[in-house]
Amino acid sequence: MMNKNQIATAYFELAKYICNALSEIDGLSTFVPDKWEREAGGGGVTHTLENGRIIEKGGVAFSAVHGEVSEAMKKNLNMKGEQFFATGVSIVLHSRHPRHPIIHMNVRYFELDENTWWFGGGIDLTPHFIREQDAICFHQELKKYCDAFDSTFYPRFKPWADEYFFQPHRGESRGVGGIFFDHIGAESGHSRAELFHFCEGLGRLFPIVYGQQIEANPIVSQPSDEELLWQQIRRSRYVEFNLLHDRGTKFGIYSGGRTESILLSMPPQASWRYCFEPEPTSEEGITLNFLRNPPDWISLK
Amino acid sequence: MMNKNQIATAYFELAKYICNALSEIDGLSTFVPDKWEREAGGGGVTHTLENGRIIEKGGVAFSAVHGEVSEAMKKNLNMKGEQFFATGVSIVLHSRHPRHPIIHMNVRYFELDENTWWFGGGIDLTPHFIREQDAICFHQELKKYCDAFDSTFYPRFKPWADEYFFQPHRGESRGVGGIFFDHIGAESGHSRAELFHFCEGLGRLFPIVYGQQIEANPIVSQPSDEELLWQQIRRSRYVEFNLLHDRGTKFGIYSGGRTESILLSMPPQASWRYCFEPEPTSEEGITLNFLRNPPDWISLK
C-alpha cells in the first residue's frame, strides 16, 4: 500500500520524466530546475523552459507541501480538518507557433488529517486555432486511456472539464476541453495505489498527446502577423481564465503560495484589443464559434 | 440640490470633456464612443483610443446603471438594500512609450433605496520607470486639489490608495499611489452637491496631471528593447492587479457586467518571464525597489 511520501517521490520522478520527454519534443531547449522550500512545511522543484523551438514558455512544477489548514484554506477550499498534505505535478506549455496549442496538465494527491485522502487532476487543450481532427484525436486518446482503467471515468470527467474550463464572462470555453476530476477517493471503488497509477499514467500520456498535436501540425512557414495577433488574443483569454477563475491559482495566491510557481502558467506575451471580433468565416471566427458552441468532439469522429 | 439624474448627466459630460482633453494631448488619435444598454436597467458609453501617438490604448468609460441589488452584489459588496443606482467615469491609459506612465482615474456615485448615497473614486499613477520628481509632482497636485476642498482628504485618501493598490502576492505596490476613497457621504460634513463638485473637479484635473507627466518626460529617441521589455513586465503586473485584486473588476465580472467595458483596463500587450529580477542598480531595479519600499513621496520634495 502506497503512502503519501511514496506518492510524492513518484510525482517528483514523474515531473522529471515529463521534462525529459518534452525536451526531446522541443529539440532545442531543456527544462531548468529551480528548487524552493516552503517556510510552513515542504517545498518543490519548478522546471522552466523558455525560448525553445516548439515551446516558447513552459513550466513543469512539482510540489509536496504540508502543514496546518489555514483559515483561508478552510474558507476557500471548504476543507474540514486541521492538518493537510498535498503533492502534485502541474504543467502549462505555451507553444511558439500559433498553429501549435497551449496545453495544461495537473495531477495531485491530498490528505486531510489521518483518514481522508483523494486525488485530482486533468488535462485540457487550448488550440489558438481549433481544428476538428486535432480535438477529436485528443479526446480519443483521453477516452481510450480512461476506459482502460474505468469506463465511468471519461463520461464523468469530460463534462467536468467542460464546466470547469468555461469562462462565463466571455461566454466561451477556454479551449476544446479534456478531462477534469477532483476529490476522487476510495468511494470510487479503487484503492489509493490504483488511483495513483491512473494519475501517473495520465502524466506519462501527457507528452504523447502533446507530441501528437505538434506532429499533426507540421510547420511549413513563419506565422503571419494575423496568426500572431490571434495567438496573443487567445493567450489573453488564458490569462483571464487563470487569474479570474482558476481555483488552483486563486487559492495559491490567496493562501500565500510561491507566486512565480503559481504564475508559471502565464504566457510569454498576451494582447488585448477592445471588442476584437474576427470575421465569422475566417479561421479565427471558426475557432471562436467552436469556443462559444463547443461540440461533443468524440461524437464527431 | 443635485439629484442622481443630474449627477449622471454631469458625469457623461465630464467623460466627453476628458476625452477631448486627452485627444489634444495625444495629438494623433481621438476617442471613439461606443454606446451600450444594460438589459436590467441603464447603460453607458465606452470611449476608446487605440494606436495614438502618446496613448497606445486608452479607455474612458461612462455608465449609469440601476436595478435590483442581486445576491452577488449583497455578498461581494456587502450591500444592504433592495434597489441601487450607480453612475461614474472610469479611465485607464496605457502610454505607448515606456518613459510615459500608465494612469487610472475613477469617480462614481452610488444610491441605495431612497435614503443612502455616497461617492467614491481616486487617481493613481503607475510609471513603468519611476522617477522621484514625477511622483512628487503628481502627489503635490493631488494634495493641492484636495486641500483646497477639505484638508482632511489627502491625509485620509493617500494612505487609502497605498493600501488599495498594494499587490500582496508580489509584495509590491502597483505604482506610486495617489488617492482613493469610497463611501464618502453626508457624514463627511459636505453636501451631495459639494462632493459631486469635488469629484467633477478631480475628473477635470486628470488630463492636467497626465499632461504634466508626459511633458516632464519628452521623448527624444525610440525606446530600446530593454525598455520595451520592462514596460511589458510592468504591464503584466497591472493585469495581475486588475484581475486578481481590483474590486471593481471582480464585481463587474462576477455580477455579469459588460466584459469589454470592464476589461478596458487591460494593456495592449503584456509579458511574463519566470523569476524576472532586474539588476538592483539598473533603472528597472530602482523602480522595483520603490515598489517594494514605497516612500512617502510628498515628504521627499
Side-chain angles (χ1 to χ4, degrees):
Chain A
M1 193 177 132
M2 289 195 90
N3 67 31
K4 62 187 178 188
N5 293 322
Q6 289 168 316
I7 293 173
T9 304
Y11 274 163
F12 173 66
E13 293 299 328
L14 177 64
K16 285 201 293 183
Y17 170 86
I18 294 171
C19 284
N20 287 334
L22 293 175
S23 296
E24 233 171 80
I25 290 170
D26 190 75
L28 175 67
S29 296
T30 55
F31 282 86
V32 179
D34 188 10
K35 203 175 162 180
W36 54 273
E37 284 185 17
R38 182 171 174 270
E39 234 173 75
V45 183
T46 300
H47 308 79
T48 53
L49 186 157
E50 292 184 287
N51 289 315
R53 183 179 65 96
I54 299 294
I55 301 167
E56 187 174 346
K57 181 169 180 282
V60 176
F62 160 78
S63 66
V65 298
H66 57 90
E68 279 183 27
V69 179
S70 67
E71 284 310 310
M73 293 170 81
K74 284 181 185 168
K75 194 182 153 205
N76 284 287
L77 286 185
N78 197 24
M79 282 169 55
K80 289 161 185 46
E82 298 309 320
Q83 296 289 323
F84 80 96
F85 173 89
T87 182
V89 178
S90 188
I91 307 173
V92 172
L93 305 178
H94 287 281
S95 300
R96 174 177 297 286
H97 200 285
R99 298 292 168 171
H100 292 159
I102 311 168
I103 192 165
H104 157 256
M105 192 213 79
N106 172 247
V107 287
R108 56 189 179 275
Y109 171 75
F110 217 94
E111 271 189 24
L112 254 190
D113 297 333
E114 290 304 306
N115 34 32
T116 314
W117 60 266
W118 69 85
F119 288 89
I123 303 189
D124 82 299
L125 187 73
T126 307
H128 305 104
F129 290 90
I130 296 176
R131 295 201 317 162
E132 269 187 40
Q133 62 267 49
D134 295 340
I136 293 168
C137 164
F138 179 71
H139 276 276
Q140 278 177 326
E141 289 294 332
L142 294 179
K143 183 174 188 303
K144 191 172 70 183
Y145 178 74
C146 289
D147 284 355
F149 182 82
D150 183 328
S151 63
T152 68
F153 274 16
Y154 182 82
R156 280 174 71 196
F157 298 170
K158 190 268 182 193
W160 205 337
D162 290 343
E163 196 194 327
Y164 184 78
F165 295 111
F166 181 71
Q167 303 228 60
H169 73 288
R170 292 282 179 193
E172 298 168 10
S173 63
R174 171 160 100 168
V176 300
I179 58 169
F180 182 90
F181 56 98
D182 204 1
H183 287 270
I184 303 296
E187 77 298 333
S188 69
H190 301 285
S191 71
R192 178 152 53 180
E194 284 168 354
L195 289 168
F196 167 75
H197 285 297
F198 174 75
C199 288
E200 190 190 37
L202 200 61
R204 288 175 180 266
L205 181 67
F206 175 76
I208 296 171
V209 297
Y210 182 60
Q212 284 172 342
Q213 296 292 321
I214 302 302
E215 270 183 35
N217 293 278
I219 297 310
V220 290
S221 60
Q222 291 296 310
S224 69
D225 287 348
E226 288 72 25
E227 285 176 312
L228 288 170
L229 172 61
W230 181 243
Q231 179 181 40
Q232 304 275 311
I233 300 281
R234 296 281 296 124
R235 284 172 169 180
S236 75
R237 305 306 188 252
Y238 210 83
V239 170
E240 290 174 16
F241 180 84
N242 281 26
L243 299 185
L244 285 173
H245 303 299
D246 187 61
R247 277 179 238 157
T249 305
K250 279 163 88 167
F251 174 73
I253 294 289
Y254 292 141
S255 67
R258 185 175 182 261
T259 296
E260 285 292 340
S261 298
I262 299 162
L263 297 184
L264 207 54
S265 60
M266 294 293 105
Q269 217 165 40
S271 282
W272 281 265
R273 301 277 173 102
Y274 179 68
C275 287
F276 189 87
E277 190 69 35
E279 281 296 317
T281 55
S282 66
E283 282 188 278
E284 290 86 346
I286 289 165
T287 289
L288 200 52
N289 190 47
F290 276 134
L291 298 173
R292 288 176 180 165
N293 309 287
D296 181 25
W297 298 104
I298 216 126
S299 69
L300 296 182
K301 73 176 171 184
Chain B
M1 191 177 135
M2 288 194 92
N3 65 31
K4 62 187 178 187
N5 293 324
Q6 288 168 315
I7 293 173
T9 303
Y11 274 163
F12 173 67
E13 292 299 328
L14 177 63
K16 285 201 291 184
Y17 170 85
I18 293 171
C19 285
N20 287 335
L22 293 175
S23 297
E24 231 170 83
I25 291 170
D26 190 75
L28 176 67
S29 295
T30 54
F31 282 87
V32 179
D34 187 11
K35 202 176 163 182
W36 54 273
E37 284 185 17
R38 181 171 174 271
E39 233 173 75
V45 184
T46 300
H47 308 79
T48 54
L49 185 157
E50 292 184 288
N51 288 315
R53 183 179 66 96
I54 299 293
I55 302 167
E56 187 174 345
K57 181 169 180 281
V60 176
F62 160 78
S63 66
V65 298
H66 57 89
E68 279 184 26
V69 178
S70 66
E71 285 309 310
M73 293 170 81
K74 284 181 184 168
K75 194 182 153 204
N76 284 286
L77 287 186
N78 195 23
M79 281 168 56
K80 289 161 184 46
E82 299 308 320
Q83 296 288 323
F84 79 97
F85 173 89
T87 182
V89 179
S90 188
I91 308 175
V92 172
L93 306 178
H94 288 280
S95 300
R96 174 177 297 285
H97 201 285
R99 298 291 169 173
H100 291 158
I102 311 169
I103 193 165
H104 158 256
M105 191 214 80
N106 172 247
V107 287
R108 55 190 180 275
Y109 172 75
F110 217 94
E111 272 189 25
L112 254 189
D113 297 333
E114 290 303 307
N115 34 31
T116 315
W117 59 266
W118 69 85
F119 289 89
I123 303 190
D124 82 300
L125 187 72
T126 307
H128 304 104
F129 290 90
I130 296 176
R131 293 202 319 162
E132 270 187 38
Q133 62 266 48
D134 295 339
I136 293 168
C137 165
F138 179 69
H139 276 277
Q140 279 177 328
E141 289 294 332
L142 294 180
K143 183 173 187 304
K144 190 172 72 183
Y145 179 74
C146 289
D147 283 355
F149 183 81
D150 183 329
S151 63
T152 69
F153 274 16
Y154 182 82
R156 280 174 69 196
F157 298 171
K158 190 269 183 194
W160 205 337
D162 290 342
E163 196 195 327
Y164 184 78
F165 295 111
F166 180 71
Q167 303 228 60
H169 74 288
R170 292 281 178 193
E172 299 168 9
S173 63
R174 172 160 100 168
V176 300
I179 58 170
F180 182 89
F181 56 98
D182 205 2
H183 287 270
I184 303 296
E187 77 297 333
S188 68
H190 301 285
S191 71
R192 177 152 53 180
E194 284 168 354
L195 289 169
F196 166 76
H197 285 297
F198 173 75
C199 288
E200 191 190 37
L202 200 61
R204 287 175 182 266
L205 181 66
F206 174 78
I208 296 170
V209 297
Y210 182 61
Q212 285 172 340
Q213 296 292 321
I214 303 302
E215 268 182 38
N217 293 279
I219 297 311
V220 289
S221 61
Q222 290 296 311
S224 69
D225 287 348
E226 288 72 24
E227 286 176 311
L228 288 170
L229 172 62
W230 181 243
Q231 180 180 41
Q232 303 276 311
I233 300 281
R234 296 280 296 122
R235 284 173 170 179
S236 75
R237 304 306 187 253
Y238 210 84
V239 169
E240 290 174 16
F241 180 85
N242 281 26
L243 299 185
L244 285 172
H245 303 299
D246 187 60
R247 278 178 238 155
T249 305
K250 279 162 88 166
F251 174 73
I253 293 291
Y254 293 140
S255 67
R258 185 176 183 261
T259 296
E260 286 292 342
S261 298
I262 299 162
L263 297 185
L264 206 54
S265 61
M266 294 292 105
Q269 217 165 39
S271 281
W272 282 265
R273 301 276 173 105
Y274 179 69
C275 287
F276 188 88
E277 190 69 34
E279 282 295 315
T281 56
S282 66
E283 282 189 277
E284 290 85 347
I286 289 164
T287 288
L288 200 52
N289 190 46
F290 276 136
L291 299 173
R292 289 175 180 166
N293 308 288
D296 181 26
W297 298 104
I298 216 123
S299 70
L300 297 182
K301 73 175 172 185

